[in-house]
Amino acid sequence: MLHMAGRRSQLSPDKPFTDALKEFGRLDIVEHCRDMTEADILARMRKADVLITMWGAAPIPPALADEPGNVRYVLHLTGTCRPYIPIEIIRSDIPVTNWGDAPANAIAEGAMALLLAVMKDLRSRTDGVRRGEWIGARRLGVPSGTLNQLRLGLYGCGVIGRRFVDMVAPFKPDLLVYDPYADILPDCCRRVDSLEELFKESEALSIFAGLSDQTRQSVTADLLAKLPDHGIVINVARGEIIDQNALFSELKSGRLRAGLDVLDGSDSLPPDHEARQWPNLLLTCHDINSALWPDRPGQMSDADRIALDNLRHFIAGEPLKFEMDEKRYNLST
């Protein structure tokens, strides 16, 4: 039996992914699981052979690790595991997988789109055209640069950062990377040994690091001050990595520019927040990374396909892709 719990929008019975899951056996879809008691959750979970979790699911109680019942595999459909799967499960004999590199292309594309849009000052230019103006960047006093020879820093170079490097490398920027966890970097990148060095040497900086105790609020006012005038900050990782007050202070003054897909806290701003009006800031509401073409019947995401492949491997007794170990669990956002 497959036990699936999560947000209602992801559990739609008419989705191709849900139909595909039903081909593997009985599918038990559990909604409103966060309203259940822990005892009820455990009782339901222990009846299943495979637990399927996602955003919005109730956290798996740690007690399942010691008394798993029928559970032999946890298939997490999305990326973030820690709010839903306790470390006790990772340390147990129950394998856990997540979506692995499924979002990498879309997120890297989003980062490149933001970088180009900010660097080319698309917001001010298109706003001016709407107002009936025809003013170039030189008359606005804002540089409109190119990736060629741009000193472009990457904070983090995991799967998503590497996809970003693949996309921008043909334009020949000078790529600098700070990532103490990456043993090997792409040949076109130059490693720096500290965040201070990364910010001091970069003209534009894109953040791909996971959120952890080490990265939270690690982009400080002092680091931002090391970027040159008109420097660019791109963040498609997690808003909490940046001291948002410090960044907003730099943006309000007009010294820096930014493209942010994520924000500190709830990834949103109050409707009347002044940052919404700043011409040197692009905000994309944590939604620039959609990977599906709209309204294409029967389409499945890369995450869906990875999940189905892993389910087939599990049933066949074959190795799983993107199995979560304790090191990866602790580094993942």
Side-chain angles (χ1 to χ4, degrees):
M1 183 174 76
L2 310 176
H3 171 104
M4 183 161 71
R7 292 177 181 169
R8 184 177 182 85
S9 62
Q10 293 173 289
L11 306 181
S12 173
D14 60 353
K15 282 192 172 184
F17 176 66
T18 307
D19 290 339
L21 285 175
K22 293 176 181 177
E23 297 178 6
F24 292 94
R26 176 182 165 186
L27 178 63
D28 182 21
I29 297 178
V30 182
E31 298 183 44
H32 310 297
C33 48
R34 288 182 176 269
D35 298 330
M36 299 167 60
T37 66
E38 183 173 302
D40 288 340
I41 290 171
L42 281 169
R44 293 287 293 269
M45 288 182 171
R46 285 171 174 152
K47 294 178 182 179
D49 301 291
V50 178
L51 297 182
I52 302 175
T53 57
M54 67 195 79
W55 293 316
I60 297 175
L64 189 76
D66 295 324
E67 298 181 34
N70 294 331
V71 176
R72 294 183 292 134
Y73 174 33
V74 176
L75 174 58
H76 190 62
L77 298 182
T78 48
T80 303
C81 286
R82 278 180 284 178
Y84 312 106
I85 302 169
I87 188 65
E88 290 83 357
I89 298 293
I90 304 298
R91 291 169 177 166
S92 75
D93 294 330
I94 303 171
V96 176
T97 60
N98 73 345
W99 66 5
D101 64 0
N105 281 337
I107 295 175
E109 288 171 0
M112 188 166 183
L114 280 172
L115 174 59
L116 288 171
V118 173
M119 185 174 62
K120 301 297 185 182
D121 195 33
L122 294 190
R123 177 168 180 173
S124 292
R125 289 176 177 227
T126 54
D127 285 350
V129 170
R130 291 190 188 99
R131 293 191 299 266
E133 302 169 355
W134 200 264
I135 300 176
R138 291 180 181 176
R139 290 178 62 189
L140 286 171
V142 178
S144 180
T146 173
L147 289 173
N148 184 254
Q149 300 184 52
L150 178 73
R151 295 197 303 274
L152 176 56
L154 277 69
Y155 181 9
C157 196
V159 173
I160 298 170
R162 287 172 178 271
R163 298 287 172 87
F164 178 77
V165 168
D166 290 341
M167 292 176 186
V168 301
F171 298 91
K172 302 188 183 307
D174 179 12
L175 290 165
L176 305 90
V177 173
Y178 174 71
D179 189 334
Y181 302 104
D183 295 330
I184 301 174
L185 297 180
D187 291 340
C188 57
C189 295
R190 174 164 59 92
R191 187 188 296 273
V192 297
D193 295 327
S194 67
L195 278 176
E196 289 77 7
E197 185 179 359
L198 182 71
F199 277 76
K200 183 177 180 179
E201 293 198 30
S202 298
E203 295 167 319
L205 190 133
S206 194
I207 299 173
F208 298 105
L211 181 63
S212 66
D213 291 342
Q214 289 71 38
T215 62
R216 189 182 301 274
Q217 299 286 299
S218 57
V219 177
T220 63
D222 287 344
L223 288 176
L224 292 168
K226 296 181 185 298
L227 292 172
D229 290 351
H230 306 299
I232 296 171
V233 176
I234 303 297
N235 191 4
V236 295
R238 286 292 183 266
E240 290 84 354
I241 293 174
I242 299 177
D243 179 342
Q244 188 163 290
N245 289 333
L247 177 59
F248 277 13
S249 178
E250 291 274 21
L251 295 172
K252 185 175 181 178
S253 73
R255 197 183 77 81
L256 295 182
R257 299 175 284 173
L260 307 177
D261 191 51
V262 289
L263 294 168
D264 194 357
S266 60
D267 279 328
S268 64
L269 288 175
D272 58 348
H273 197 290
E274 62 179 328
R276 292 174 179 265
Q277 308 303 321
W278 295 338
N280 54 337
L281 172 61
L282 280 178
L283 297 170
T284 49
C285 313
H286 202 26
D287 197 38
I288 200 172
N289 306 319
S290 177
L292 296 180
W293 189 261
D295 303 323
R296 182 186 296 160
Q299 68 179 333
M300 282 197 233
S301 68
D302 287 343
D304 293 340
R305 287 188 283 271
I306 287 170
L308 293 173
D309 283 346
N310 263 338
L311 196 50
R312 293 186 190 98
H313 292 324
F314 171 73
I315 292 171
E318 298 171 350
L320 301 172
K321 292 187 67 176
F322 308 116
E323 186 167 350
M324 188 68 62
D325 59 22
E326 191 167 345
K327 179 181 178 180
R328 182 165 165 247
Y329 178 90
N330 289 330
L331 288 176
S332 298
T333 295

